[in-house]
Amino acid sequence: MTLLNHITELFRNLNQQRLRSFLTIFGIMWGTATLILLLAFGMGFRDQTVLNMRGMGDQLAIMFPGQTTKAFEGYGIGRPIRYREADAKLLQNQISDIDVATPEYMSGIEISNGDKRRNSQVGGVYPVYQDLRNMFEEPGGRWLNDRDLEERRRVIFLGNRLAENLFGDDDPVGKQVFVRDTPFTVIGVLQDKIQNNSYSQRDMDRSFIPATTFSAMMGTDLINNILYVPKDPAFAKQIQDQVYEVMGRKHRFDPTDRDALGIWDTNEFWEFINVMFLGINGFLGLIGFFTLAVGGIGVANIMFVVVQERMKEIGIRRSVGAKRHHIMGQFFVETFMIIGMGAAAGYGIGWLLVEATQNIPIKEFVGAPYFSPEVGLIAFAVLGFVGFAAGLLPAWRASRLDIVECLRR
């Protein structure tokens, strides 16, 4: 029996059961569209969360000063641990798995431009800080460089909202602001970026000056934080243990005293994100699967009806030499044709729904759904499983019918 004959026979049977056929195909269509939309939302939510997190930096760990809670080598509890710039160099030199470590000074300082004043967390940093924290400048400006540090230049890089508050719509690059009544030249403005977490103030409200300038201006070499990035995020936990050992030897505290230092390792968050969204997307996919399974039950029902109506034809084909697998193949082909018609419409409607939800009001938080190849492949695999399950029993029953009983019909 040729494919054309299969198609002709299928449409003849569907035409005889118009309402049932429509509802069956509609069920597959709706299930497919639902599955695609749910998976697309899951993918969009995952990517938006990752994008929000990357506003602070990739694979970054931030060390904060703490105080001891365990007595060690004659030192009592409650002793504050404070960092200096040399500590960052020590970590990078003694822990081979750390790719880069850099110190950060920080202080809340008033910045003014004429009668416009804003309090900002001013950071004293090194040029490498830009790559660690994804601090990219708007066109026409620049980030801090080595000469700024060597010459202790009074230059400043402004967060985009801070620049807007101080200068309005004017371009601030090349103009001066006052930091503690000391003039600083603006060299760049931060590009607008999505950032939903921070360890002090959002970058759009912060400002940054050379670390050497900050140290000289404030008269201190005590830093506020140390930032480091591992060479391989898989070793993040081991690196933390090594950090406590190295800093414990330097500052004379027990390496098992986790309160002596505070470490916020964003690599732990990435691990959590991967597990969390595997669960979320799995749950959404399961909802879509059960919705599609309802349509599959409808397909199975209509195929059982087709088997009953075509018993005589099955008997004739078997009597002239058709094998059981030929009969099974025929009904599987027809089942997948029905699934295919509903799936094609479902893919189209799902794509339209995804496009229609691109500008949802909470896009910044949950992201926008998108139709990725991954979504399409998952939907295709689920449709294949549903089609096989829906066609198996009717095809099996048709191939096991008694030839004599079929010819009596």
Side-chain angles (χ1 to χ4, degrees):
M1 196 172 185
T2 65
L3 180 60
L4 181 60
N5 290 335
H6 280 307
I7 296 173
T8 303
E9 191 67 26
L10 173 65
F11 278 100
R12 182 179 66 81
N13 290 318
L14 293 178
N15 190 53
Q16 291 174 354
Q17 302 285 341
R18 293 179 183 176
L19 180 59
R20 181 179 295 176
S21 300
F22 170 76
L23 293 176
T24 299
I25 294 173
F26 181 82
I28 294 296
M29 177 193 71
W30 183 251
T32 303
T34 301
L35 178 64
I36 287 173
L37 188 61
L38 288 173
L39 290 175
F41 261 107
M43 297 293 181
F45 185 28
R46 180 196 64 186
D47 288 357
Q48 186 65 32
T49 303
V50 170
L51 181 63
N52 290 345
M53 189 63 188
R54 282 181 173 162
M56 198 179 72
D58 293 329
Q59 303 172 358
L60 183 68
I62 305 103
M63 294 171 53
F64 306 99
Q67 62 180 24
T68 59
T69 56
K70 295 181 180 180
F72 184 74
E73 294 185 351
Y75 292 95
I77 63 174
R79 180 168 56 93
I81 304 299
R82 296 293 178 261
Y83 305 145
R84 286 179 166 80
E85 287 196 34
D87 291 327
K89 296 178 182 178
L90 180 69
L91 290 175
Q92 187 163 350
N93 291 335
Q94 294 199 9
I95 303 177
S96 59
D97 289 325
I98 289 182
D99 185 33
V100 61
T102 185
E104 179 181 17
Y105 295 92
M106 192 166 16
S107 180
I109 303 175
E110 183 182 80
I111 299 179
S112 63
N113 174 37
D115 59 351
K116 296 179 180 179
R117 301 174 183 273
R118 289 292 185 275
N119 287 321
S120 173
Q121 284 288 337
V122 179
V125 297
Y126 282 80
V128 72
Y129 187 89
Q130 179 182 34
D131 297 326
L132 270 61
R133 291 289 325 282
N134 292 331
M135 307 288 292
F136 302 111
E137 67 275 7
E138 290 184 351
R142 68 171 178 88
W143 177 250
L144 307 172
N145 60 34
D146 291 332
R147 287 193 62 184
D148 294 331
L149 276 87
E150 293 168 3
E151 300 175 10
R152 296 182 182 178
R153 292 175 175 173
R154 290 184 303 215
V155 292
I156 189 168
F157 184 90
L158 300 179
N160 51 304
R161 189 162 71 178
L162 176 62
E164 183 179 349
N165 289 333
L166 293 175
F167 291 93
D169 295 330
D170 295 338
D171 183 4
V173 176
K175 298 179 181 178
Q176 286 192 336
V177 295
F178 284 85
V179 180
R180 275 193 173 180
D181 299 323
T182 301
F184 277 72
T185 301
V186 178
I187 58 170
V189 176
L190 179 69
Q191 277 188 14
D192 187 27
K193 67 175 181 178
I194 298 173
Q195 181 187 2
N196 64 356
N197 46 51
S198 67
Y199 54 91
S200 60
Q201 189 179 27
R202 299 295 171 88
D203 293 336
M204 61 183 175
D205 295 314
R206 291 192 63 190
S207 52
F208 303 89
I209 64 177
T212 51
T213 306
F214 189 104
S215 177
M217 183 176 173
M218 299 298 177
T220 181
D221 64 346
L222 291 175
I223 61 176
N224 295 77
N225 311 305
I226 296 176
L227 284 66
Y228 70 81
V229 172
K231 292 179 179 177
D232 186 346
F235 299 132
K237 184 61 178 175
Q238 299 175 26
I239 293 173
Q240 281 192 37
D241 295 337
Q242 294 178 61
V243 166
Y244 279 98
E245 291 175 5
V246 171
M247 296 296 284
R249 288 196 300 267
K250 170 75 181 294
H251 293 275
R252 308 291 294 275
F253 66 82
D254 189 340
T256 63
D257 187 357
R258 298 296 173 171
D259 291 318
L261 308 176
I263 300 180
W264 179 16
D265 193 341
T266 61
N267 292 288
E268 296 175 357
F269 177 80
W270 292 117
E271 293 178 6
F272 170 74
I273 282 291
N274 291 333
V275 174
M276 181 181 75
F277 279 102
L278 182 62
I280 289 176
N281 289 333
F283 177 70
L284 294 176
L286 193 62
I287 295 174
F289 171 78
F290 281 118
T291 304
L292 196 54
V294 173
I297 293 172
V299 173
N301 286 335
I302 200 170
M303 292 310 297
F304 274 119
V305 172
V306 170
V307 170
Q308 289 296 115
E309 292 177 347
R310 294 166 60 182
M311 287 182 65
K312 188 169 184 178
E313 174 197 326
I314 294 170
I316 294 172
R317 292 191 62 201
R318 289 295 311 281
S319 66
V320 296
K323 303 296 184 182
R324 286 180 174 177
H325 67 269
H326 294 145
I327 303 299
M328 287 190 69
Q330 174 186 347
F331 283 93
F332 265 125
V333 168
E334 294 181 9
T335 299
F336 278 104
M337 284 181 181
I338 295 174
I339 295 284
M341 286 188 287
Y347 267 87
I349 292 174
W351 181 81
L352 290 174
L353 290 173
V354 167
E355 291 299 313
T357 52
Q358 290 300 301
N359 296 313
I360 53 178
I362 54 175
K363 179 179 178 180
E364 182 178 345
F365 304 100
V366 301
Y370 68 94
F371 189 90
S372 67
E374 188 177 357
V375 169
L377 288 174
I378 292 174
F380 182 80
V382 172
L383 282 165
F385 176 79
V386 169
F388 178 80
L392 180 60
L393 288 179
W396 180 269
R397 180 180 178 184
S399 67
R400 293 301 185 273
L401 289 174
D402 183 81
I403 298 175
V404 176
E405 289 296 325
C406 289
L407 293 174
R408 285 177 179 173
R409 292 279 178 149

